Amino acid sequence: MRINWGTGIVIAFVCFIGFIMYLVVNMMTDDKFQHELVVEDYYKQELSLQDDIDKEINSQTLEENVSWEHTNDGILIQFPTSIEPSEISGTVYFYRPSKKSLDFEVPLVLNNHAILIPNDRLVDGRWNLTVDWKNGDASYLYKKSIVY
């Protein structure tokens, strides 16, 4: 039996579609490819975007902004020394883009203008660090993408 060019094209299309279907099924069922949403309440967070922008603008007006440093014990987050630590309240969020189960948040309890996030809470890789804090009536937001 001879295969003409029309039959060859049909066979090529069937093989290509079969290959693509194999890849799709393999990626959807394999546990090493985790498909998670970026955030659960995406639209709710989108509504508060202007508040976040205002907080970031407030942060830029500070003489000294929040900073972070990688130490042997973990990540040390420093707050402005011009503000009394007892007047600072808020939350530190660690968001892991690759795995939702690693996300966590820590309430701000400052020790000498700093807070230490220990090594046991962090895994090597990329993190999105967000510090949402208040000093009196003023709200501030610090966002940084870090590699631990």
Side-chain angles (χ1 to χ4, degrees), residues 18 21 28-29 41 44 48 51 60 82 88 94 132 141:
M21 291 301 296
M28 294 299 281
T29 58
D41 52 353
K44 182 179 174 185
S48 68
D51 292 336
Q60 293 171 356
S82 60
I88 296 175
F94 278 87
D132 190 359
L141 187 68

Side-chain angles (χ1 to χ4, degrees), residues 59-73:
S59 294
Q60 293 171 356
T61 61
L62 292 170
E63 292 177 19
E64 180 185 5
N65 202 353
V66 174
S67 62
W68 70 277
E69 176 185 359
H70 185 246
T71 65
N72 292 335
D73 298 326

Side-chain angles (χ1 to χ4, degrees), residues 12-13 24-25 47 54 57 59 75 79 107 113 116 120 128 137 139 145:
F13 275 131
V24 168
V25 169
L47 293 174
D54 294 339
I57 290 171
S59 294
I75 292 182
F79 285 84
H113 293 93
L116 177 69
D120 60 346
N128 289 344
D137 292 335
S139 296
S145 176

Side-chain angles (χ1 to χ4, degrees), residues 13-53:
F13 275 131
V14 169
C15 289
F16 178 72
I17 291 170
F19 174 71
I20 295 298
M21 291 301 296
Y22 167 76
L23 285 179
V24 168
V25 169
N26 190 24
M27 296 214 28
M28 294 299 281
T29 58
D30 198 349
D31 287 337
K32 73 178 182 181
F33 302 111
Q34 294 293 325
H35 305 288
E36 299 173 344
L37 294 174
V38 176
V39 290
E40 290 293 330
D41 52 353
Y42 174 78
Y43 293 110
K44 182 179 174 185
Q45 287 188 2
E46 190 70 27
L47 293 174
S48 68
L49 183 62
Q50 186 59 47
D51 292 336
D52 291 349
I53 292 171

Side-chain angles (χ1 to χ4, degrees), residues 46-141:
E46 190 70 27
L47 293 174
S48 68
L49 183 62
Q50 186 59 47
D51 292 336
D52 291 349
I53 292 171
D54 294 339
K55 290 177 186 179
E56 286 186 84
I57 290 171
N58 286 346
S59 294
Q60 293 171 356
T61 61
L62 292 170
E63 292 177 19
E64 180 185 5
N65 202 353
V66 174
S67 62
W68 70 277
E69 176 185 359
H70 185 246
T71 65
N72 292 335
D73 298 326
I75 292 182
L76 185 68
I77 302 171
Q78 296 279 350
F79 285 84
T81 55
S82 60
I83 301 173
E84 184 64 34
S86 61
E87 297 176 2
I88 296 175
S89 63
T91 309
V92 178
Y93 300 97
F94 278 87
Y95 169 73
R96 179 73 177 217
S98 62
K99 193 166 186 182
K100 181 181 175 184
S101 63
L102 295 176
D103 296 352
F104 66 95
E105 64 182 66
V106 178
L108 279 179
V109 179
L110 296 183
N111 185 9
N112 196 18
H113 293 93
I115 184 170
L116 177 69
I117 309 300
N119 283 331
D120 60 346
R121 300 285 309 261
L122 300 166
V123 178
D124 291 346
R126 182 173 177 264
W127 290 90
N128 289 344
L129 168 65
T130 304
V131 182
D132 190 359
W133 60 287
K134 291 179 83 171
N135 175 27
D137 292 335
S139 296
Y140 304 98
L141 187 68

